[in-house]
Amino acid sequence: MSQPHYPSWQPWQGPGAPSMLASHADRERAVDVLRAGYGEGRLEHGEFEKRVGRAYAARTVGELALLVADLPQGPLPGPASFAPVPASFLPVSRPPRTNGKAVAAGVCGLLCVPTMGLTGIPAVVLGHVARAEIRSRGELGDGLALTGLVLGWLSTAGWALVLVLLTVVSVVAS
């Protein structure tokens, strides 16, 4: 069986690949492709032996590509291997920070009892603003903001109830 003529380089290799010197690993990959082709019955024994000899004698990647170009998996380039980047060169990934307004809302909410509800309205305002920022920025602190909201609204509702009762008592007493 005569050896078919192949172009000196293949388009998948790029313009500089055929003249690149072949490594031992390149030769072994080409021989593996030849073995697979022989095992599948695509090559006769004599042609297989001849191509294996030429593969081990090949000096460039282009010569190896010619030997396996007519076989499945022959012209495909090997996977590019990249060494992993050492951890010391990777960017530091910081955990998301806690929203400052959420912390303030939680503190104001907790201070509603000792201040007799004076910090209730700031807790509600800060809690709503903090929850909006947390959703848009992906920050932490939703629980603190919610605590400030609940305690602030309870305090505000308590003061509203006291004012209503005082108004009712003053209307009834007059």
Side-chain angles (χ1 to χ4, degrees), residues 155-169:
S155 169
T156 304
W159 275 109
L161 182 63
V162 167
L163 288 176
V164 167
L165 289 176
L166 285 175
T167 305
V168 169
V169 167

Side-chain angles (χ1 to χ4, degrees), residues 122-143:
V124 170
V125 172
L126 287 169
H128 281 295
V129 172
R131 290 197 78 201
E133 288 180 358
I134 288 168
R135 281 191 296 270
S136 67
R137 297 180 188 168
E139 295 175 320
L140 300 175
D142 194 47

Side-chain angles (χ1 to χ4, degrees), residues 76-114:
L76 296 178
S81 61
F82 296 101
V85 176
S88 59
F89 293 113
L90 291 176
V92 177
S93 62
R94 296 186 176 112
R97 53 185 217 110
T98 303
N99 186 288
K101 290 179 182 127
V103 173
V107 170
C108 286
L110 291 174
L111 289 176
C112 281
V113 174

Side-chain angles (χ1 to χ4, degrees), residues 14-34:
S19 62
M20 184 171 46
L21 293 177
S23 68
H24 295 298
D26 294 330
R27 291 183 189 90
E28 289 301 323
R29 276 191 294 273
V31 170
D32 287 342
V33 171
L34 292 171

Side-chain angles (χ1 to χ4, degrees), residues 32-66:
D32 287 342
V33 171
L34 292 171
R35 282 189 188 117
Y38 177 68
E40 294 170 353
R42 298 179 190 274
L43 297 173
E44 295 175 0
H45 183 70
E47 184 179 2
F48 167 70
E49 292 291 331
K50 183 177 171 185
R51 287 193 190 192
V52 168
R54 287 178 56 196
Y56 283 123
R59 294 216 1 102
T60 65
V61 173
E63 293 174 46
L64 293 173
L66 291 175

